[in-house]
Amino acid sequence: MGVLDVDYARVAGRNLPEHWDIDVVGFLVMERQDAADVPGQEFWQQTAFHTFRDRNLSDLRAAAADVDLIIGHNLFDGDYRCLRTYGDMLDVGALAAKTVDTLYAARRVAVGAASRTARLGLTTLARAQGLRERAKTASRTEAHRGIRTIHDAEERWHFQPVSDDCELMLELWLELVTSRRLRSVLRSGEALEFPVGEDALRLLLEPPLTSDMFTNLLTTKGTVYPLQGAARKESVARIHREIEQQRADGTLTNRHPTASHRQRCMAPSDEGGRQCDQLIEVTQTYCRAHRLKRRCRGNPAIGDVCTAVVHGELAHCRWHRITALYVPEGQRIVEDFTLALPLRGWQRDSDWGYDTGTRSYFASLYRIEADPSGEPSVWLSGTNPDLGNMVALADALQQATGATRQDVLAALNEHRRSPRERAVSTQDWEPAECDRPCPCSITNCGHGAPCPDNDCNGHDIHTMRNPCTEVDVTAWQDHFDCCAGCSSSTLDIALPDRPWGEIRDDGTVSVYAGVHHHELGTPP
């Protein structure tokens, strides 16, 4: 049995699979074998995994000839429609005659009024069936042919290999066949479950279309799925009629350009996406719109987005020329620095930085009860484990402290947040139980301290923090409630690095958007 998946080099604005260029075709070959230790039991064993590009796509025919069944998701109305435009290299009809498509079967299993809004994509179905999470959320690009540029390297952090999708399709197929039920969700989030009857099971075990049936559906209707009345996708059908005519005339050649001559502009998208959609010559770096200036690439490996503008050939702002995982040759800045590490649940005396002597990042952390003048509670020197980049540092911090990934990355990027963002996070949090760390991000705030009432055995819960006074923007007031309910108290504090507003040139005070100042009557 073979599992087939196609990743594309899509171009913005092209919605038909017939207009997509392939990036890579993955073909996973599985063979059923007897379990040596359990008589009568069988299991599926991987025997080969092939990848095909446009230059060797014709080799897929030989690989497919060795299997009895091909499975995949959205092959009939997606991948095969694209591959038919490579008809001079591949006979897709021969593949279709061996194929069972889990989407094709799912659309017949999901019946009734709810089926019209059921979500049947691979990501949704895998999650609904309780399979592992799918990492890939968008199509790949031509840059995946090898790490040639900074963009190629960064994209490896966003997309899983085509082999992973092949394995996930196999897991989905096995789950549907063995459990005999299909789970999905509506767009509203409501869960659905459909039984897989004998007819639907046959669609998962036996190819439903012959080569001629598949070709006829595409050339007459433009789709393998039923349409209302005499409706058809005429623009799609016309493309496939032309393919058949060229095949009959012996003039069929695919019109896809050689992908090695093109790549996408490496500038981040101005609309907030990961990358500009413009295709450029492989010898170029940026499209015309981004040739003079563009947004900094940030550090995608840890989700660090940057809005700074850079010029010339630079891909990063100064900070990210120091810390980004991938920086173009000759642009990396290497220098010592030390910054505060305000990790939730640890003292604010904790810090992190970079040491040019060891060519490594480091971090020292102090527990809440520790003496900051003594040895750190956790010392990550960069020698064991090796901390040569920010990803390794974040991994080590998460493992050493037990903190969430979100909290670790927030602490590492705290110094880059704007005063307004720091002010909002200082006030916007939910109280924790008295035996849990306080989420206010201020060390020794008083949360969990014994109740000041000597007759009470309870502890204080830090319930809120609000600005106080109308002139001192560093002044805040903390509110505490006893967990036993006996009393409440307040404490005035100063946070110079977290002002709740700013003082204008004329002496008046403005409150940052998102901060609620009760005395000034400003809503959050």
Side-chain angles (χ1 to χ4, degrees), residues 436-447:
R436 304 293 299 169
C438 183
C440 78
S441 74
I442 302 299
T443 305
N444 297 329
C445 65
H447 177 82

Side-chain angles (χ1 to χ4, degrees), residues 48-356:
F49 180 73
H50 307 282
T51 56
F52 306 96
R53 309 285 188 178
D54 55 1
R55 62 181 177 272
N56 68 333
L57 187 58
S58 58
D59 296 340
L60 176 57
R61 283 182 288 186
D66 293 335
V67 302
D68 301 316
L69 188 69
I70 298 173
I71 66 173
H73 193 79
N74 195 24
L75 291 179
F76 289 146
D77 211 48
D79 295 343
Y80 285 176
R81 282 173 53 183
C82 172
L83 289 177
R84 269 180 57 84
T85 62
Y86 291 85
D88 58 333
M89 307 178 69
L90 186 67
D91 180 9
V92 178
L95 301 181
K98 291 184 174 185
T99 296
V100 295
D101 185 334
T102 50
L103 177 59
Y104 185 84
R107 291 185 63 166
R108 282 154 177 76
V109 171
V111 296
S115 66
R116 290 191 294 271
T117 57
R119 300 167 63 188
L120 301 177
L122 178 61
T123 301
T124 301
L125 289 182
R127 184 183 298 123
Q129 259 57 233
L131 306 178
R132 57 189 171 86
E133 195 73 15
R134 188 186 187 206
K136 188 175 72 173
T137 59
S139 291
R140 294 151 67 99
T141 71
E142 296 176 24
H144 284 78
R145 298 182 182 280
I147 295 183
R148 295 196 308 260
T149 67
I150 175 180
H151 165 66
D152 303 345
E154 288 178 344
E155 286 293 281
R156 294 298 176 94
W157 294 91
H158 293 303
F159 298 101
Q160 63 189 53
V162 67
S163 59
D164 286 3
D165 263 3
C166 288
E167 292 170 0
L168 189 58
M169 290 174 186
L170 175 63
E171 293 171 19
L172 174 62
W173 179 80
L174 288 171
E175 176 64 22
L176 295 178
V177 169
T178 56
S179 71
R180 303 284 294 271
R181 59 189 176 187
L182 170 72
R183 298 187 182 95
S184 184
V185 294
L186 298 175
R187 292 186 177 88
S188 62
E190 179 184 352
L192 296 173
E193 183 172 314
F194 303 94
V196 176
E198 292 300 326
D199 291 341
L201 183 62
R202 194 172 297 111
L203 293 176
L204 292 167
L205 297 176
E206 301 174 7
L209 302 176
T210 66
S211 176
D212 290 341
M213 290 170 60
F214 175 69
T215 302
N216 184 61
L217 285 170
L218 290 185
T219 55
T220 58
K221 299 173 60 177
T223 178
V224 298
Y225 295 114
L227 296 172
Q228 294 294 328
R232 60 183 182 270
K233 297 181 179 179
E234 180 56 37
S235 59
V236 176
R238 188 183 305 113
I239 293 173
H240 290 279
R241 286 197 296 269
E242 291 177 359
I243 291 175
E244 289 306 300
Q245 184 62 51
Q246 293 171 6
R247 187 192 301 275
D249 297 340
T251 59
L252 181 59
T253 57
N254 79 76
R255 302 174 182 175
H256 298 273
T258 304
S260 60
H261 296 308
R262 297 185 304 156
Q263 66 180 18
R264 285 169 68 184
C265 168
M266 292 193 298
S269 170
D270 296 328
E271 285 71 38
R274 278 201 295 268
Q275 188 189 3
C276 173
D277 286 323
Q278 292 296 312
L279 289 176
I280 57 176
E281 296 297 322
V282 73
T283 55
Q284 298 175 336
T285 306
Y286 302 109
C287 67
R288 179 178 297 180
H290 292 119
R291 208 161 289 162
L292 297 179
K293 63 180 182 179
R294 66 210 69 88
R295 282 177 45 225
C296 167
R297 295 195 64 82
N299 193 357
I302 60 171
D304 184 6
V305 179
C306 184
T307 59
V309 174
V310 295
H311 300 81
E313 290 300 313
L314 292 179
H316 298 85
C317 65
R318 190 178 192 281
W319 170 250
H320 286 110
R321 290 169 67 191
I322 299 173
T323 58
L325 189 63
Y326 292 103
V327 175
E329 186 176 354
Q331 294 185 17
R332 172 76 72 183
I333 297 177
V334 179
E335 67 179 28
D336 293 312
F337 68 86
T338 301
L339 296 167
L341 184 64
L343 185 60
R344 184 176 298 178
W346 296 76
Q347 286 195 30
R348 294 186 68 84
D349 295 287
S350 304
D351 58 28
W352 72 284
Y354 187 83
D355 184 354
T356 55

Side-chain angles (χ1 to χ4, degrees), residues 340-411:
L341 184 64
L343 185 60
R344 184 176 298 178
W346 296 76
Q347 286 195 30
R348 294 186 68 84
D349 295 287
S350 304
D351 58 28
W352 72 284
Y354 187 83
D355 184 354
T356 55
T358 60
R359 307 283 289 189
S360 172
Y361 289 91
F362 65 85
S364 60
L365 298 101
Y366 296 86
R367 301 188 188 278
I368 296 295
E369 66 277 6
D371 179 5
S373 63
E375 292 293 321
S377 306
V378 173
W379 169 238
L380 301 174
S381 64
T383 56
N384 186 21
D386 179 28
L387 303 179
N389 58 64
M390 290 281 286
V391 176
L393 176 63
D395 290 343
L397 283 169
Q398 191 174 359
Q399 182 176 0
T401 64
T404 66
R405 189 72 169 184
Q406 181 179 358
D407 284 347
V408 167
L409 297 182

